Amino acid sequence: MAEIDAADLTDDQARDELARLAMEIAYHDRAYHQKDAPEISDAAYDALRRRNAAIEARFPDLIRSDSPSRRVGDAPDTGFTKVRHRVAMLSLDNAFNAEDFTEFCDRARRFLGLTHPLAIVAEPKIDGLSINLTYEDGAFARGATRGDGTEGEDVTANLRTMVGAVPDRLIGSFPERIEIRGEVFMTKADFLALNDSQAAAGQKLFANPRNAAAGGLRQLDAKITAERRLSLFAYAMGESSEPVADSHAAYLERLRGWGFAVNPLSRLLTTEAEAAAFQDEIARQRATLPYDIDGVVYKINDLTLQRRLGFAGRAPRWAIAWKFPAEQATTVLRAIRIQVGRTGALTPVAELEPVNVGGVLVARATLHNEDEIARKDLHIGDTVIVQRAGDVIPQIVAVVTEQPRGAEAYDYPSVCPACGSLAIRPPGEAIRRCTGGLICPAQRVERLIHFVSRNAFDIDGLGEKTIQEFYAEGWLHGPADLFKLPEREADIATREGWGKLSARNLSRAIKARETIALERFIFALGIRRIGEANAKLLARHYGSYPNWRQQMLAATTIGSDERLALGSILGIGPAIAEELAEFFMERRNVAALDELAAVLTIEDAVMAEAADSPVAGKVVVFTGTLETMTRPEAKARAESLGAKVTDSVSKKTDLVVVGADAGSKARKAAELGVRTLTEAEWRALIGD
Ligand code: IVH
């Protein structure tokens, strides 16, 4: 729909459009801030806000009480304690070109009644999430997210895991109380590594480093944050009990001195005229920087001037974010290809007329799932806008509706394009899956690729392409056939791209893996939801391959002891137990396992203590005051021995450990006839 110039709108049209924009912007704010899952590009979002501002400027009496121009971001999600910021955490106005930037400088000068050029600090605008860190007497006391600008979430525990990035104590001299602000982000390398391990574990992938960082910081379990490898650049000031600098450049130096990382590309520009060149310089470096940026922030250096300028609405008058043009281009959607993954998940990929997007040729874009195609109303032949952001896979932003539409709406297949089996989408799930299992060639190939991957069998010289070629040759039906490849060494040596030496090396690499650790073996099977961590749990619990195989076959019976035991392994749970049971219910899977076991030496795992402990799998309740250990200690010890510790006594309870002054729980145990132990008896039982 072509947009009517704001000045040409009637009152009614303006009122309607402001209402629609308020709703739409609020929706995208929620998607971005609460769900960490934006649905539109930053550029498209900025366009909505600009349109809203343009209409409001023309129709000031129609400005709504819930107008997006009166809010920053969105109210925080629940789960964390709320913290009120002592000084609001506001946002920045945007400039999109040199004129916008000049206009910003002129406005500031007019406001101050000055005529001379302004000294300005330029800092790359990191695409992360802003954070407020409070230091009391030099010690890190509290950290909070921005939230809605006035109230954020207390993420202190999570920030404490960012060793090195968030200093525990400030170095040197410091005010009694100071708030320091900065951006938490994830480097591109850490982001790619995280998504690799998410993929290997069959977990959801993050769309970009920003979402991964936001998700990492807002974990209720700080241990997960610690694994996410988050970084921080400090760049702004909140409240301070005494002045710490008279210019922003000097403030950045103080931040460095206290032990914070300050972006090394930050630069003091003696006059605003240097900004355009700096903007170009950073834009050129953008692709090779280790983190995503989406522009440059320019801040008037003199803090006295900053104070005089103050704020207008949601943004300071002394700073502006000059955004890079979004890396977008227009092209034609040629086809939608459906990829079939290792676990049968159907993923649509857009095949595009190749187009240059910010210096990179783009021929494909991700479409996530079938709902996304419907939401964007994609037709084959449509003219679409594609966007690349940093290292992230290109995306389709929208259809250009002014262009003639493609023939008809895309019909998502209900059968697997690789094997023709029914593809089913369980209610409530976003992904449709092929039901063909091992008869599906696509799943077979993907499973083989997973089988030889780095954290599985790790066979040198067997990459994705080689597997595909050998599969097409008819050499690889199942994984056991990989170990027959050395018999084909002579054939392989004559293939294009191969020679005697490389074929011999491949045989060697394969033979070297005929002996394999149980946990790697289990992981290599590519069973849904059995990533490395779960494979390790299983290996340590069952100890040997024959024992595992036997127990898993028994666990296929719902309600069997083996099934319950499997589901009660700490970290496994009933849903994953069901997944394993399903795998073992398929006779062809068991046959493939037996074939493999016949050619491999699968090494026993060092069993967890739990497996042979007398309390493994038992449901235990501690009650009363314990004398030789604290309650958390007792719980942790019991769990490490494979027991499940719960708070209340029921028929399912196996043991109640009764300390001094025990009350109702001990009585209940007696009523239900549940075995009770004294603390000493418990210690004797577990051999402590
Ligand atoms: S200063 C009152 N400096 O951009 C001004 N912000 O669009 C406070 N950002 O909420 C912000 N890099 O999350 C500032 N060098 C930088 C920044 C930066 C990234 C983010 C920050 C802010 C958002 C505004």
Side-chain angles (χ1 to χ4, degrees):
M1 191 183 69
E3 208 168 69
I4 307 174
D5 195 285
D8 298 333
L9 290 170
T10 64
D11 269 20
D12 279 350
Q13 283 173 327
R15 193 176 293 109
D16 285 354
E17 198 172 340
L18 286 175
R20 183 181 61 75
L21 285 164
M23 231 165 59
E24 208 167 317
I25 292 171
Y27 174 82
H28 292 301
D29 279 344
R30 261 195 313 280
Y32 188 90
H33 291 285
Q34 290 182 9
K35 304 197 184 358
D36 299 323
E39 290 175 12
I40 57 172
S41 68
D42 288 358
Y45 175 82
D46 288 340
L48 291 177
R49 271 197 176 272
R50 250 178 301 155
R51 175 74 175 164
N52 192 70
I55 301 176
E56 287 184 345
R58 185 73 185 76
F59 299 90
D61 46 326
L62 294 183
I63 297 178
R64 301 166 59 90
S65 60
D66 64 348
S67 163
S69 60
R70 299 191 174 187
R71 282 184 299 115
V72 187
D74 207 62
D77 205 351
T78 51
F80 290 94
T81 312
K82 308 279 178 278
V83 189
R84 261 198 112 65
H85 303 304
R86 288 176 163 245
V87 175
M89 290 181 77
L90 297 173
S91 187
L92 294 170
D93 276 338
N94 293 325
F96 295 95
N97 49 47
E99 292 78 66
D100 292 351
F101 179 76
T102 307
E103 167 60 21
F104 156 77
C105 296
D106 290 346
R107 217 177 319 131
R109 232 188 321 269
R110 271 200 306 277
F111 189 94
L112 295 165
L114 298 175
T115 48
H116 64 72
L118 297 163
I120 288 183
V121 175
E123 302 164 1
K125 184 172 188 298
I126 308 288
D127 205 4
L129 57 151
S130 47
I131 201 86
N132 186 34
L133 307 168
T134 307
Y135 284 80
E136 286 167 358
D137 293 323
F140 175 49
R142 209 164 23 268
T145 60
R146 179 171 78 175
D148 65 0
T150 46
E151 195 178 75
E153 293 168 329
D154 185 332
V155 287
T156 312
N158 296 352
L159 289 164
R160 283 196 200 284
T161 69
M162 292 173 57
V163 181
V166 175
D168 255 354
R169 292 202 62 83
L170 302 181
I171 301 166
S173 65
F174 40 76
E176 194 179 310
R177 187 193 150 78
I178 184 164
E179 289 181 344
I180 286 155
R181 291 171 177 182
E183 199 84 352
V184 170
F185 64 97
M186 193 178 282
T187 63
K188 294 176 187 172
D190 287 337
F191 166 71
L192 294 175
L194 172 66
N195 262 358
D196 274 354
S197 70
Q198 291 284 110
Q203 305 273 325
K204 88 166 190 181
L205 299 190
F206 292 97
N208 53 49
R210 202 208 85 88
N211 293 141
L217 194 61
R218 292 167 68 213
Q219 284 294 335
L220 290 171
D221 180 357
K223 270 190 279 167
I224 302 181
T225 311
E227 287 164 8
R228 288 284 163 87
R229 302 177 60 88
L230 300 175
S231 308
L232 173 91
F233 278 135
Y235 55 60
M237 205 175 337
E239 196 201 36
S240 177
S241 56
E242 59 186 81
V244 291
D246 54 15
S247 72
H248 186 65
Y251 174 65
L252 293 182
E253 276 317 307
R254 294 224 59 185
L255 285 174
R256 284 201 177 96
W258 287 328
F260 291 96
V262 171
N263 194 315
L265 299 171
S266 303
R267 190 182 305 165
L268 173 61
L269 311 176
T270 36
T271 86
E272 63 209 57
E274 294 162 32
F278 187 79
Q279 187 77 14
D280 281 351
E281 189 181 321
I282 298 295
R284 272 196 303 274
Q285 293 182 47
R286 181 181 188 186
T288 56
L289 290 178
Y291 42 78
D292 277 345
I293 60 172
D294 57 354
V296 177
V297 181
Y298 294 90
K299 301 174 181 173
I300 292 177
N301 188 37
D302 187 324
L303 294 188
T304 311
L305 296 185
Q306 282 196 11
R307 220 162 296 127
R308 282 175 56 198
L309 283 161
F311 293 82
R314 60 192 263 278
R317 292 196 188 86
W318 45 264
I320 194 147
W322 186 346
K323 297 279 202 77
F324 294 133
E327 296 180 310
Q328 294 189 337
T330 300
T331 187
V332 174
L333 175 64
R334 283 268 165 258
I336 291 176
R337 190 163 47 87
I338 306 289
Q339 283 180 342
V340 184
R342 163 166 68 82
T343 58
L346 267 49
T347 322
V349 177
E351 305 261 0
L352 305 167
E353 186 68 44
V355 62
N356 186 327
V357 188
V360 174
L361 202 63
V362 170
R364 247 167 237 111
T366 169
L367 288 170
H368 304 296
N369 56 48
E370 60 186 291
D371 287 347
E372 174 97 354
I373 298 175
R375 200 162 36 233
K376 296 202 165 126
D377 188 25
L378 296 178
H379 298 200
I380 308 296
D382 278 354
T383 301
V384 294
I385 299 169
V386 284
Q387 167 170 298
R388 225 170 43 89
D391 279 345
V392 180
I393 320 160
Q395 301 173 326
I396 291 186
V397 179
V399 174
V400 184
T401 41
E402 286 85 0
Q403 296 287 324
R405 297 300 310 268
E408 57 203 86
Y410 178 73
D411 207 5
Y412 207 80
S414 52
V415 295
C416 172
C419 72
S421 300
L422 212 57
I424 290 179
R425 181 174 172 191
E429 286 190 22
I431 304 284
R432 190 176 284 275
R433 277 175 206 281
C434 161
T435 54
L438 286 179
I439 66 152
C440 174
Q443 287 188 56
R444 276 200 201 167
V445 170
E446 289 301 323
R447 283 190 196 202
L448 286 167
I449 291 169
H450 172 76
F451 192 88
V452 301
S453 67
R454 193 160 49 87
N455 297 331
F457 270 74
D458 190 20
I459 299 179
D460 267 352
L462 264 188
E464 208 171 311
K465 245 187 85 211
T466 311
I467 295 272
Q468 277 160 351
E469 282 176 26
F470 289 1
Y471 183 87
E473 204 62 63
W475 291 351
L476 300 173
H477 299 282
D481 295 331
L482 289 163
F483 298 92
K484 297 186 193 135
L485 286 175
E487 295 163 21
R488 302 187 190 274
E489 191 181 307
D491 283 346
I492 293 173
T494 60
R495 293 180 70 88
E496 206 186 306
W498 291 82
K500 272 205 175 117
L501 186 67
S502 53
R504 187 169 331 130
N505 284 342
L506 178 63
S507 299
R508 283 214 186 107
I510 292 171
K511 289 204 175 109
R513 294 291 185 264
E514 282 174 355
T515 298
I516 188 99
L518 178 58
E519 61 184 75
R520 270 186 185 255
F521 177 78
I522 296 176
F523 171 65
L525 298 176
I527 303 168
R528 205 174 147 208
R529 301 176 71 168
I530 306 298
E532 277 177 280
N534 286 339
K536 193 171 194 160
L537 286 176
L538 293 168
R540 289 176 54 120
H541 191 86
Y542 293 100
S544 72
Y545 170 70
N547 185 42
W548 181 59
R549 177 185 183 280
Q550 186 202 335
Q551 303 274 332
M552 291 305 99
L553 286 173
T556 55
T557 307
I558 299 174
S560 63
D561 287 353
E562 289 81 359
R563 175 68 159 269
L564 292 174
L566 173 61
S568 60
I569 297 175
L570 258 188
I572 296 288
I576 296 178
E578 191 178 329
E579 212 74 69
L580 277 159
E582 259 174 37
F583 180 88
F584 276 87
M585 264 187 271
E586 168 62 59
R587 229 176 300 156
R588 280 173 301 194
N589 286 336
V590 182
L593 275 182
D594 290 343
E595 232 187 300
L596 273 170
V599 296
L600 297 175
T601 306
I602 304 169
E603 294 174 321
D604 289 354
V606 181
M607 278 174 88
E609 246 183 314
D612 50 9
S613 108
V615 298
K618 297 274 190 289
V619 179
V620 178
V621 173
F622 290 96
T623 179
T625 314
L626 302 175
E627 276 161 14
T628 61
M629 53 193 161
T630 64
R631 190 69 75 76
E633 204 180 334
K635 181 171 189 286
R637 178 83 182 111
E639 283 175 348
S640 77
L641 294 168
K644 183 160 182 262
V645 179
T646 64
D647 279 335
S648 59
V649 178
S650 75
K651 275 186 293 188
K652 292 200 188 116
T653 312
D654 295 302
L655 291 171
V656 178
V657 181
V658 183
D661 304 321
S664 63
K665 288 184 195 168
R667 273 200 303 282
K668 180 116 185 249
E671 264 167 50
L672 294 172
V674 175
R675 183 175 167 203
T676 60
L677 296 174
T678 63
E679 189 175 340
E681 284 168 337
W682 163 257
R683 293 177 60 105
L685 176 67
I686 61 175
D688 266 8

